[in-house]
Amino acid sequence: MAGQEQVLGAPSSQPVLRGSYTYASITDKIADTVLERPTHWAWAVGFAVSASLTVLFIVAMSYLFAKGVGIWGIDQPVSWAFALTNFVWWVGIGHAGTFISAFLLLLRQRWRTSINRFAEAMTIFAVAMAGLMPILHLGRPWFFYWLIPYPNKMNLWPQWRSPLVWDIFAIGTYIIVSILFWYMGLIPDLATLRDRAAQRWKQVGYALLALGWRNDARHWARFEIAYLLMAGLATPLVISVHSVVSLDFAIGNTPGWHSTIFPPYFVAGALYSGFAMALTIAIPLRATFGLQDFITARHLAVMAKVMLACGLLVTYSYLVESFMAFYSADRYESFMLLNRMTGPYAWIYWTVIFCNVIVLQTLWFERVRASPWMLFAVAILINIGMWLERFMIIVVSLHRDFMPSAWGMFYPTFWDIAILAGSLGAFALLFLLFVRFLPVISMSEMRKLVKERRESSS
Amino acid sequence: MAQVFHPRQLLLLKGIALGALLAAIAAAFLYRVATQAPVARNVPVEQPIPFSHKHHVGDDGLDCRYCHSSVETSAFAGIPSMATCRTCHSQLFTDAPILAPLFDTRSQRAPVYWNRIHQLPDFVYFNHSIHVAKGVGCSTCHGRVDEMPLTWRVASLEMQWCLGCHRAPERYVRPRNRVFDMSWQPPANQLELGRRLVAAYHIRGTRALTDCSTCHR
Amino acid sequence: MSPRQPRREFDFSGVPERSRREFLKLMGASIALASGCSRELPERIVPYEDMPEQLAATKSLYFATALSLDGYGSGVLVESAMGRPIKVEGNPNHPASLGATDVFSQAAVLTLWDPDRSQTVLRQGVLSTWDAFRAALTARRSRFASQGGAGLHILTGSVTSPTLAAQLHRLLDKYPEARWHQYQPINRDNVYAGTRLAFGETREPRYDFTRARTVLSLDADFLRSMPGHVRYARDFNGARRPGETPSANNRLYAIESSPTLTGAKADHCRRLRASQIDRVARALAQRLGIAVESPTSVPIEAGWLDACAFDLLTRHGESLILVGERQPAHVHALAHLANERLGNVGTTVQYTNPVLAEPIDQLDSLRQLSAAMAAGEVQELLILGVNPLYATPADLEFARHLQRVPFSVHLGLYRDETAMRSLWHIPAAHELEAWSDTRAYDGSATIQQPLIAPLYGGRSPHEVLAVLAGEFEQDGHAIVRALWQGELGGDDFEHTWKTSLHNGVVPDSAFTAEQVTARLPALPPLRDADSSELEIVFSPDPHVHDGVYTNNAWLRELPKPLTELTWDNAVLMSPESGRRRGLANEDVVEIEYRGRRVRAPVWLLPGHPDESLTLQFGYGRTAGGRIAPGAGFNAYALQTSAAPSFDGGARVHPLGTRYPLASAQMHNRMEGRDLARMLPLSAVIQRTAQGAQPSKHERKLLYPPFASPTYAWGMSINLDACVGCKACTIACQAENNIPVVGKDQVQRGREMHWIRVDRYFEGSDAHPRVHFQPVPCMHCERAPCEVVCPVEASVHDSEGLNVQVYNRCVGTRFCSNNCPYKVRRFNFLQYSQDVPSLNAQRNPDVTVRMRGVMEKCSYCLQRIAAAKIASEKEGRRIRDGEVVTACQAACPTEAIVFGDLNDPASRVRIAKTSPLDYVLLEELNTLPRTSYLPAVENPHPDLQET
């Protein structure tokens, strides 16, 4: 295990599991948060807020379908704005989850164990939000299925050169694999809950979901293999999905989009924002449900380091982008950059730099990484910064491209904000429900941790 | 510990799952049906006057163009004016009750509302005159109208149906002088004949015939 | 989802045969758009009772008639689809049109179908009937007949109609005491007065730009707003085709008091306050050897005047000086004299009898009327087709005096300000609904024939006058025909009548030139030269004119030349004047002038003379339709009969509030990009001599080059010919069912025009160079829009058209992002309204787009398809010139050429072989099918414009 410790450079003084837990006690601890523990006030407040935001989301979507995308601030030349920004941002957030649950599993990173469950859930809910956006932004959303290849009376197929078609496959695969992977991981725990549940209806509910899992040795053997295979399937998606998303822009000829560094740039950005979101969730979570023993300071520190690494990659991408704009000697490229820095949307560029580059540097310090609340603040700022970065790439590039006569501005309307806030609300709502009805930490895997610790100590 | 479900319940559950699947498939089919053309295919359509093409074309041998006079000159084949009908029916069957609407149009200014049988979406710009000019016969799309006591639609009029001919006109074109011939049947060597006609009538290549702009504007 | 309602497709109140109306219902179905996959509603087919001969086919028919502006007619051909007038084209046979039109003619069909038009006779605002009115009028006749017509007054606009004039004269003969007043807000008073000063008799100047090598325009916007401007623009540019004959190029000097398109096209333009132009005219006259005492100080450098004078003198008989309607009579007189001295009379300028039937001083005529009303002498007042309550100088207080008139009748298209305050209002028949006649700038007469029965039972002035005069015959057709029977007479009148109708011009009706001898007029003392007082200049709005078109949504949304403003008017002033007062665009100011005050938003216009305000008429309406009222400000409220054109002594008070204006172009500079090119003539001659140069951009293509074996459609746009009049934009709108989106949407940058005319300023705000560039879809052979569309809604057809398949489009808008020219337009909301009468205007050959669908220029695909079907039925290729796009047809200067690039003889192919031919953003390698020829400037060698 020492090898992996070095991989992440975490001092072994900090364990990934604190306190002295037995199989039973650890199971109690986690299962009770679902079965026994009465609703926490913080949970109730959060639920109320996110539920009302979700209602707003539904209202906004209904009005959108009734009237058309004209209710947003989009125009000529800026015909993409919030919807696509949200899309890229949400997809990005998803990535951290898959990275933690699949990538790190293959790398045998034990510390992932206690955070992979909720990280994976975060992925699914985030990708669900992301998946909505491209459909919402269509002019005629009721024809969204024309992007999917299927035999039809018109003898027509999608246009394969369009990255939007690639998106359909990328996002589709991603959401399916993520759900399967997450659900498979849940099965043993669902069985545990089934067996511990007191009331009949809970038993039935969990029983249905547990698909008849009996902790049979053969079950476990199959499970272990299948789980690894799923991880193997999910891992390449961490790279592929956001690369494809980035092509939505890189394929275009708009200055600020038309760039070959986009795939790696976007993937790094995705993990960056994803880990930021993971921290944003983990820190209140452990505080609220007293999970400090499982999601330890070590976890936070390690996540912070990953974030730092990704952040530096993103910073590098910013530098390359600027250098290329200058080095290409392309009038439109260099104007694009100048316009970002000094144009009407300059404040966005500088906020992005502040959040994603300046604030990031604090993570070099042990003290910051050790303080959950400072990490929380940093994570929030990075979330904002990454959203603004996507907004900058999309809107600020579009609003002034080739023909000055066609230049324009974008001003968001109430409905733009409503869709963004609504999707945040819906995401939070789903997550809160998940926390209430499913174990946020994998009991089976935690038991493994306990076992390993016993062996190492004895 | 005890099983939550009895095996029979499990069977039931599986049954429900299966049912859900079937329901989904059924829904898909219903959708197909719901998006059919307004007038059903191969079903005779009731008309205010039970006009019989069989009688007028088959028995009396009227030429299509006698009534559909603009078929060679314009996009729309043309619906005969009431006056056209009365050229004969001012003499024949004048007191037949079924023909009453024909005279009401003049006396009571109550127009006849024919039910439309061949109806394309409004974003499709079909032009009769060019098809007739290129040797596409009436019966190719409208079927043996001369055998229809009440007229019905034989063609699906779906885009893939149009493309069927636009992709391979040689399978359907006929000599210009047989365009209005209801009894014309494709000869054994239709393909060979068709290729010659396609060349002779300068029918454009498949690429041009299947341009979106050929039918949509 | 679709704007289609299968049941009540049309409601032709007033169209006689019901069966036809029903038949239209069937044909009309094709104008509606059904969504791709929803169940079609079953349709009914309603046959004709009795089929009209030519209407059998679904082909359009064209009828020749004329449309008038300020009384002056311009010949048009109106397209009638199944009996519905849907599109106006120019009439090639008509001298004022030569096949082209201005924006007003294009918009006429929308006014015709405007659901806001007045639809019923009103008495004191209460519904009444034509018969009731006729009865009332007959009753009044007994009164004025007994007194020889005393107390009967008739107010018309400028009348060129021979029939109407004859009717009025008959009436005056019958009732000698009756009075006929004329007042057109945009009138010819100064022009006629000028000829009276110079020649002692009233004459109509007519210009021939084909022979003019040097042109000096003193405040005259002959490219955009003078009678005959369409013809003038054509001739002027005809004499300015460097590509064809490099040496033969004219040079235009312009001095203007408010920026116009003429100034924008001038090789040398100076902007002065209106009062200063008199001074310059005298200085120039003196240089041309006319004995006027030289003004002390002249607001233009001597060098500029010398150069101009030199050019005028050296081009003896080939030069031309013309003066705008705004300038006082004696300036006109000076110009006439100068033209005579320069030997231009008979070559570049001719003088004919006035085109107006009664060339009186209209302002004076209006003064007399309002005095008579004030004195209570007016018993009956007939107001025919004008709106004096709105469009007259404020100091005449027409509204107040009208209350003293016991019996007032208003005939008009709308329930406008006058209609509301008159005793009787009669809905007028639109020019396309009634028989009448009119004369063009050169006197040629056109008999106006109706395209459709009056939709709302409107009446023509002829019919109203007939009733007034109590004549037996009361049908418009008979009245007009009777007159021409007398005029043309002859045994073969029937034939002449038919040919006149068919050709749209009455043979040999143009006026012949009269002999004139000019004399030096007595010149009034000059105004104080260096008076720094703020001047105001009144001018018609470029698009709603004097207010007649304020309810026409096409014209309201059409971006105005130079300002690019839509939907409102604004006070125009120079950026410098604005800076002095700390004013920015959209700031609201209160203008104080002669004790009257008006509040208006400010628009700072580069090239506007300092310390001068331009106030445009036509806005600040209080009635006259749904969209007319409540926009802009009323300039008439400041106009006085003492100084109807311009005057000093205005003051501006900033109010600190703002009024949002909708400009269609947010950025006005080219940012050093190579978009709208302009070359000096010398360079053009050199380049033409050198021949075509290889492009500096090498073409590396991933895919094989695009082959279009049959036809290869392409377009060439000549920026030198383009005068920026925007006729192309509105013609395209009429042809392609382009919806109007409204001010709010334009502010958001969502206007839908398929061809926009970009306008760039270059150089200082005081003396900017103005560039115009029409930008339709480029139809790139390597179209960036196509690769990114996920559903193949944006595709190439085999003839090189980049087509947009509306019924396949799902609205991702990726194509628009990827279009470097930003020519794609998106239906962000449901813009096409489902209004029966507006549906009737729509072009049945073009799909009406629904919400959520992308659209753009199609090179008038429907016209190509029609020509292709016609040619294939005849087994031949499409001939050059057989397909004419709507923009090309409307363009007064033939700046747009369209055709088949595979045809080596086609005009477009030849245009593109010019060494000057270039494409936009060539470095992007999109290989556009639309290319440009640069603008050419021909400056005087001694003058270097900044």
Side-chain angles (χ1 to χ4, degrees), chain C residues 418-431:
Chain C
T418 311
M420 294 302 189
R421 304 282 289 278
S422 307
L423 181 69
W424 286 91
H425 164 70
I426 314 297
H430 188 271
E431 278 184 298

Side-chain angles (χ1 to χ4, degrees), chain C residues 789-820:
Chain C
C789 176
V791 293
E792 296 217 68
S794 170
V795 287
H796 242 66
D797 79 1
S798 57
E799 295 164 6
L801 296 183
N802 164 257
V803 293
Q804 179 68 18
V805 190
Y806 311 122
N807 43 305
R808 179 66 175 169
C809 178
V810 297
T812 66
R813 307 185 294 289
F814 202 166
C815 51
S816 174
N817 293 345
N818 222 37
C819 174

Side-chain angles (χ1 to χ4, degrees), chain C residues 234-269:
Chain C
R234 165 78 60 91
D235 290 350
F236 176 77
N237 284 284
R240 190 186 177 91
R241 287 291 172 116
E244 288 144 37
T245 52
S247 55
N249 198 344
N250 56 25
R251 180 174 298 150
L252 170 60
Y253 294 84
I255 299 173
E256 56 187 12
S257 58
S258 176
T260 68
L261 296 184
T262 305
K265 291 303 287 183
D267 301 292
H268 298 290
C269 182

Side-chain angles (χ1 to χ4, degrees), chain B residues 35 37 73 76 79-83 86 105 112 114-116 119 122-123 125 129 134 204 207 211 213 217, chain C residues 4 29 32 34 37 39-41 43-45 47-49 58-59 796-798 807 844 846-847 872-873:
Chain B
T35 55
T73 56
F76 185 61
I79 291 295
S81 68
M82 295 289 102
R86 285 195 298 265
T105 56
V112 172
W114 300 110
N115 292 310
R116 189 163 196 182
Q119 182 178 339
D122 297 326
F123 48 72
Y125 288 86
S129 64
K134 298 284 181 180
R204 290 184 291 157
R207 169 75 171 89
D211 280 337
S213 51
R217 296 174 205 154
Chain C
R4 174 268 214 70
C37 206
R39 185 164 190 142
E40 284 278 307
L41 296 140
E43 283 174 6
R44 310 296 245 342
I45 302 180
Y48 278 111
E49 168 61 27
T58 53
K59 293 217 194 81
H796 242 66
D797 79 1
S798 57
N807 43 305
V846 179
T847 308
E872 291 208 357
K873 279 193 281 189

Side-chain angles (χ1 to χ4, degrees), chain A residues 94-104 119-120 123 174 178 234-235 237-238:
Chain A
H95 280 55
T98 322
F99 184 80
I100 292 167
S101 53
F103 220 104
L104 298 184
E120 187 67 23
T123 299
Y174 192 33
S178 305
T235 306
L237 292 176
V238 178

Side-chain angles (χ1 to χ4, degrees), chain C residues 27 50 87 141 265 485 516 526 588 702 721 797 799 938:
Chain C
M27 301 322 305
D50 213 338
K87 178 76 171 65
R141 195 189 305 118
K265 291 303 287 183
Q485 183 114 41
V516 291
L526 275 168
V588 179
L702 180 59
D797 79 1
E799 295 164 6
N938 180 17

Side-chain angles (χ1 to χ4, degrees), chain A residues 65-66 70 72 74-76 79-80 137 139-140 146 159 162 248 252-254 331-332 401-405, chain C residues 672-673 748 750 758 760 786-790 792 806 809-814 816-818 822 828 851 923:
Chain A
F65 289 140
W72 293 341
I74 49 174
D75 55 33
Q76 307 285 1
S79 54
W80 284 0
H137 107 293
R140 301 201 291 174
W146 282 358
Q159 206 273 106
S162 168
D248 291 351
N253 60 9
T254 313
R331 152 179 292 148
Y332 306 108
D401 61 353
F402 293 99
M403 300 274 285
S405 60
Chain C
R673 301 179 181 187
R748 294 172 180 277
R750 295 175 179 176
D758 289 348
Y760 297 109
E786 290 171 9
V787 289
V788 297
C789 176
E792 296 217 68
Y806 311 122
C809 178
V810 297
T812 66
R813 307 185 294 289
F814 202 166
S816 174
N817 293 345
N818 222 37
K822 289 287 174 281
F828 288 93
R851 176 251 279 197
E923 59 271 38

Side-chain angles (χ1 to χ4, degrees), chain C residues 663-828:
Chain C
S663 169
Q665 188 177 333
M666 319 255 173
H667 197 86
N668 302 323
R669 300 266 167 183
M670 252 182 284
E671 299 299 329
R673 301 179 181 187
D674 179 23
L675 302 172
R677 287 186 191 171
M678 175 175 273
L679 300 172
L681 183 58
S682 51
V684 173
I685 295 168
Q686 191 193 2
R687 291 272 296 280
T688 325
Q690 289 168 347
Q693 302 293 321
S695 157
K696 65 177 180 295
H697 301 284
E698 62 191 300
R699 288 181 178 166
K700 291 216 179 73
L701 300 176
L702 180 59
Y703 295 93
F706 178 79
S708 58
T710 51
Y711 299 98
W713 303 110
M715 183 178 278
S716 169
I717 300 177
N718 184 341
L719 297 183
D720 189 46
C722 177
V723 297
C725 70
K726 292 203 160 75
C728 49
T729 307
I730 197 165
C732 174
Q733 183 157 31
E735 169 75 12
N736 292 300
N737 300 334
I738 296 172
V740 170
V741 297
K743 179 181 177 183
D744 160 67
Q745 296 293 303
V746 175
Q747 276 174 293
R748 294 172 180 277
R750 295 175 179 176
E751 62 272 16
M752 298 295 283
H753 297 134
W754 283 3
I755 178 171
R756 62 176 198 260
V757 181
D758 289 348
R759 185 268 294 113
Y760 297 109
F761 292 119
E762 190 185 357
S764 72
D765 275 352
H767 293 291
R769 250 253 168 259
V770 187
H771 302 272
F772 297 110
Q773 183 166 46
V775 184
C777 173
M778 298 288 136
H779 290 269
C780 316
E781 290 186 359
R782 294 262 166 283
C785 49
E786 290 171 9
V787 289
V788 297
C789 176
V791 293
E792 296 217 68
S794 170
V795 287
H796 242 66
D797 79 1
S798 57
E799 295 164 6
L801 296 183
N802 164 257
V803 293
Q804 179 68 18
V805 190
Y806 311 122
N807 43 305
R808 179 66 175 169
C809 178
V810 297
T812 66
R813 307 185 294 289
F814 202 166
C815 51
S816 174
N817 293 345
N818 222 37
C819 174
Y821 310 99
K822 289 287 174 281
V823 293
R824 299 186 146 255
R825 298 286 176 258
F826 188 68
N827 292 272
F828 288 93

